Amino acid sequence: MHETLEHVVSVLPVWPGHEQGGQGASPGTAPEGSGVVVRRGVIATAFHVVEPAERVDIRLSDGRVLPARLIAGDAASDIALLSVETDLVPFEISPSPGLAQPACAIGNAFGLGLSVTCGVVSAVGVTNAGFNAVEDFVQTDAAANPGSSGGALVDAQGRLIGMMSAIFASGADANIGVNFAVSAKLLMRVTDALLADGKVEYLSADWRLGSADNAQLAKVAAPVVGTVRAGGKAHAAGIETGDLILEIGSRRTRTPRDALTALALLPPQTTVVDVRVLRGGAEKTVSLSFVEPTRQPDLDVQKNSDPDCPHPSAVCALRQAVFPVSSFDPVGSATRIASDLLVTNRHVVGNRKDATVHTPGGPKTAKVVPSAFRGDLVLLKVDGLPEDGQILDPASARPAEGPYYAIGADIARREVRVFEPGELILAPAEGADLGRLHVRARMQPGVSGGALVDGDGDLAGIAVGGGDGRYEAIPVSAIQLLLQQRESPEATRMTNRLGINFAACATAIDSVLAGERQEEALGQLSKTCKASSNHGQLLEAGRLLAQAGDFDAAISLHGQASDQVPNSINSRMSLLVSLQLATRFEDMTDHARWLLNAAPDDPQALRFSIQSGVWGGDPELAEAGYRALLKADPRQAQAARRFIDSAPPAPRRR
């Protein structure tokens, strides 16, 4: 493994207003990352590490520090290339990894220099983690932390499995054992394109795919062709609306994101690929050609004139209704609902009385408008917004229909954009005052406070965030309540109290992450975040408490989050993880059964059903989870069958 370190470097960017790592800054306080040698003298790293940098140096495993030059970057895959004037030897590429295969992560965690952590390959071909527009991740439980981005995930022979890219922690940057590496296949595909052309052109089939409904998922998991562009590539191949896309090339596709990745992995010189489709119960294979088809002159093809927004014109126009904002959270979004009113998330504003709204005419100062509304929404009043801009009036919104589109700030691109659409997963739970829309429409950091709209451009809600292909928005009905409760005599007091409690919880979270007086900090974390009752903070604080071994407190906070937003799959999974860590398997069964019904195509949800059913004394639940997993992921179902038939004794209750 010592020789393997020679293929990994520490990346030391100089961001505006920050010290450079390795130059006297305390470990973990300066922006730092890692890199892997992919060609002689060429280093791949995470695009988000170097994109804001004014200068980049690298530190070799022997301690030498050398200047590096940014060759090019691809925001869609979060990959950038650096060149250095030294003869670095590239990694040998590993064969495709298998599940449970040993794997080690090498990186510059917390800026402390290269270190090695080991675990296993937890999953392969992950396309719905929600971090990047193009994803082909290898998931691992090998520990990764800030500074690990751009590092190496290697096999037992030191060969490159992938480049470390993301930590799944839903807001907390600390490792919880769910980490992602860009697959070596996608890494090299992007590397070749950036070296050849300075950019990456991904192949398109000229179709729009949607997720299958539950009735279809009971038969087979595959994306559904929603629209086919007349005269386009899919149209020329004979693909029709309603077809199910089972396979692209040799890659099985179960979701629209799977199909996007399968196309993204194809080399740009690809001329044709076989696509296996299911139509009317019969399978057939068609040849999808990427040679531009001859267009018929009389075709009336409606196209959006903006190449940066390949979505319905009504949706793209609404980018004018969403603005980047900075406040307690330095990067968020806000949606215009009147000539001088914006709405955003409370967690974007926190306890601040104002926010900076970034408009085409320059920054404007917005003031928080008090309201007695208890949820994660805040009103902002600001003068000087564009007179001819778009306004999304919640009073005139009609019931929105999917697919849904999130519109918000893209940090990497530094613009407001429309993200990939997705269907409704679950509507707000009946009777839940703070219920939410649960959708597959992609969101990412910076989108919180942006708009969720349908294909006609009608407002459905305000984006909150999420992950793992499951995202949430506060419905338009809550905006109407927010406006109505401006008149409440409790408006100012409620706004102040919620802001103070939110800031106290945020401080407690930061103290725990910084390792300050852990016992006292954990006690404050449980108390303040319970009082905050902010859904995102409840989840984050619960995870930190579970990591620290305070399972009862974690279960309490995650239970509070699940009660607040009953149809949140992410909340229910967090609660199940805490119950699982506490080995309270019997208490898991009701929640696992709900999750089985809500997400019958999600392998992670189904594994909860199987484990809690076996160890919680509910064999029918275990068998139901197994039957669903057999359809969703037959490979994982084989291991599940062995677990059900020959389960070890349940761990002792902790």
Side-chain angles (χ1 to χ4, degrees):
M1 189 62 72
H2 180 74
E3 293 181 354
T4 306
L5 295 179
E6 298 176 358
H7 306 302
V8 186
V9 303
S10 300
V11 176
L12 313 175
V14 179
W15 287 8
H18 290 78
E19 291 185 83
Q20 184 181 29
Q23 303 300 315
S26 299
T29 62
E32 294 193 46
S34 309
V36 296
V37 183
V38 290
R39 295 281 189 266
R40 286 194 175 273
V42 177
I43 295 164
T45 188
F47 181 71
H48 71 262
V49 171
V50 298
E51 190 271 338
E54 298 172 336
R55 190 183 86 244
V56 180
D57 294 330
I58 61 147
R59 183 173 58 227
L60 306 183
S61 60
D62 61 12
R64 287 182 292 153
V65 176
L66 302 173
R69 177 180 66 86
L70 177 64
I71 299 173
D74 178 49
S77 60
D78 194 32
I79 296 170
L81 298 184
L82 306 172
S83 68
V84 290
E85 296 297 327
T86 189
D87 191 24
L88 298 175
V89 179
F91 264 109
E92 179 183 352
I93 303 300
S94 169
S96 297
L99 291 179
Q101 172 183 319
C104 294
I106 307 173
N108 177 32
F110 289 112
L112 295 170
L114 297 181
S115 59
V116 181
T117 61
C118 294
V120 298
V121 171
S122 307
V124 296
V126 178
T127 64
N128 62 347
F131 293 101
N132 304 327
V134 176
E135 295 179 339
D136 185 40
F137 283 138
V138 178
Q139 183 181 325
T140 180
D141 63 351
N145 286 291
S148 299
S149 293
L153 185 68
V154 301
D155 63 15
Q157 287 72 47
R159 297 172 298 188
L160 188 67
I161 293 174
M163 183 189 78
M164 299 302 296
S165 177
I167 304 168
F168 184 66
S170 297
D173 284 338
N175 170 70
I176 60 170
V178 183
N179 305 308
F180 298 98
V182 177
S183 72
K185 186 172 183 179
L186 179 58
L187 176 64
M188 300 315 296
R189 153 80 171 96
V190 172
T191 293
D192 290 343
L194 292 179
L195 288 175
D197 304 317
K199 61 181 180 178
V200 185
E201 297 286 350
Y202 295 107
L203 296 175
S204 169
D206 298 330
W207 60 27
R208 180 163 293 156
L209 303 181
S211 300
D213 58 25
N214 286 342
Q216 182 57 59
L217 287 170
K219 301 172 185 176
V220 62
V224 183
V225 178
T227 58
V228 175
R229 183 164 66 80
K233 303 175 186 70
H235 182 266
I239 293 171
E240 300 177 2
T241 300
D243 284 353
L244 299 178
I245 305 300
L246 301 176
E247 196 173 75
I248 298 176
S250 60
R251 187 158 179 133
R252 176 73 169 90
T253 54
R254 296 180 175 84
T255 67
R257 298 274 293 174
D258 286 347
L260 184 151
T261 296
L263 292 173
L265 288 169
L266 295 174
Q269 64 271 22
T270 301
T271 57
V272 66
V273 67
D274 286 341
V275 177
R276 187 161 59 93
V277 304
L278 181 65
R279 181 187 304 161
E283 292 186 17
K284 64 180 298 185
T285 299
V286 301
S287 294
L288 180 65
S289 173
F290 297 101
V291 177
E292 198 67 28
T294 302
R295 302 291 177 87
Q296 299 298 324
D298 59 342
L299 284 177
D300 183 18
V301 181
Q302 182 179 2
K303 295 189 293 186
N304 195 314
S305 60
D306 186 349
D308 292 329
C309 189
H311 305 295
S313 298
V315 174
C316 293
L318 295 176
R319 289 176 293 176
Q320 296 181 28
V322 178
F323 298 85
V325 296
S326 304
S327 187
F328 189 95
D329 187 333
V331 183
S333 300
T335 300
R336 189 178 188 182
I337 57 172
S339 60
D340 61 350
L341 274 184
L342 304 174
V343 62
T344 187
N345 293 134
R346 188 178 304 280
H347 68 258
V348 171
V349 175
N351 63 342
R352 305 286 176 84
K353 303 297 184 184
D354 55 22
T356 299
V357 181
H358 303 281
T359 76
K364 310 285 185 186
T365 299
K367 298 295 183 182
V368 171
V369 179
S371 170
F373 182 71
R374 296 184 298 110
D376 195 9
L377 290 180
V378 164
L379 286 170
L380 297 173
K381 181 176 175 59
V382 57
D383 296 322
L385 294 177
E387 293 183 2
D388 58 350
Q390 295 279 340
I391 296 175
L392 283 163
D393 183 1
S396 62
R398 59 187 179 84
E401 298 179 357
Y404 295 88
Y405 300 78
I407 307 173
D410 186 320
I411 299 171
R413 297 188 184 184
R414 299 182 181 179
E415 64 182 11
V416 172
R417 61 176 284 226
V418 180
F419 291 82
E420 291 79 12
E423 299 293 336
L424 179 71
I425 302 173
L426 290 170
E430 290 187 11
D433 294 340
L434 301 180
R436 295 180 175 184
L437 288 163
H438 308 274
V439 296
R440 300 197 187 279
R442 183 169 171 265
M443 303 175 194
Q444 66 182 37
V447 177
S448 292
L452 184 76
V453 302
D454 70 3
D456 293 329
D458 289 309
L459 182 64
I462 299 300
V464 178
D468 206 21
R470 299 178 294 270
Y471 305 95
E472 298 178 357
I474 299 174
V476 68
S477 58
I479 307 175
Q480 295 166 348
L481 284 175
L482 175 73
L483 291 166
Q484 293 167 8
Q485 293 181 10
R486 287 178 295 177
E487 307 301 324
S488 169
E490 292 295 304
T492 299
R493 188 186 68 83
M494 180 66 74
T495 298
N496 291 340
R497 182 171 68 83
L498 290 173
I500 290 168
N501 289 344
F502 179 91
C505 174
T507 299
I509 288 172
D510 289 342
S511 295
V512 171
L513 291 174
E516 299 171 0
R517 295 183 294 182
Q518 282 293 91
E519 186 173 346
E520 179 181 341
L522 288 168
Q524 284 296 313
L525 182 70
S526 179
K527 178 181 177 181
T528 59
C529 295
K530 184 177 182 67
S532 164
S533 74
N534 180 274
H535 189 258
Q537 288 187 325
L538 290 171
L539 295 182
E540 185 174 0
R543 273 187 287 272
L544 292 173
L545 289 162
Q547 286 177 258
D550 192 347
F551 303 122
D552 288 342
I555 291 166
S556 175
L557 293 189
H558 285 155
Q560 184 179 346
S562 295
D563 290 342
Q564 185 184 106
V565 187
N567 279 1
S568 171
I569 292 175
N570 292 336
S571 299
R572 203 72 66 126
M573 284 192 174
S574 294
L575 176 57
L576 281 163
V577 168
S578 292
L579 289 166
Q580 180 185 53
L581 290 171
T583 64
R584 291 169 53 175
F585 300 108
E586 290 184 11
D587 296 337
M588 291 175 62
T589 55
D590 287 344
H591 300 291
R593 186 175 290 104
W594 180 91
L595 202 56
L596 170 64
N597 294 325
D601 60 335
D602 190 315
Q604 184 181 1
L606 303 178
R607 289 196 297 270
F608 283 123
S609 302
I610 294 166
Q611 185 190 60
S612 63
V614 170
W615 282 340
D618 192 339
E620 291 183 2
L621 175 62
E623 290 295 340
Y626 167 73
R627 289 192 297 271
L629 188 59
L630 195 61
K631 297 174 183 177
D633 193 333
R635 288 188 304 172
Q636 293 193 42
Q638 295 176 13
R641 184 73 263 169
R642 291 192 296 271
F643 175 77
I644 294 171
D645 293 339
S646 304
R652 292 183 178 180
R653 186 158 177 164
R654 301 166 69 178

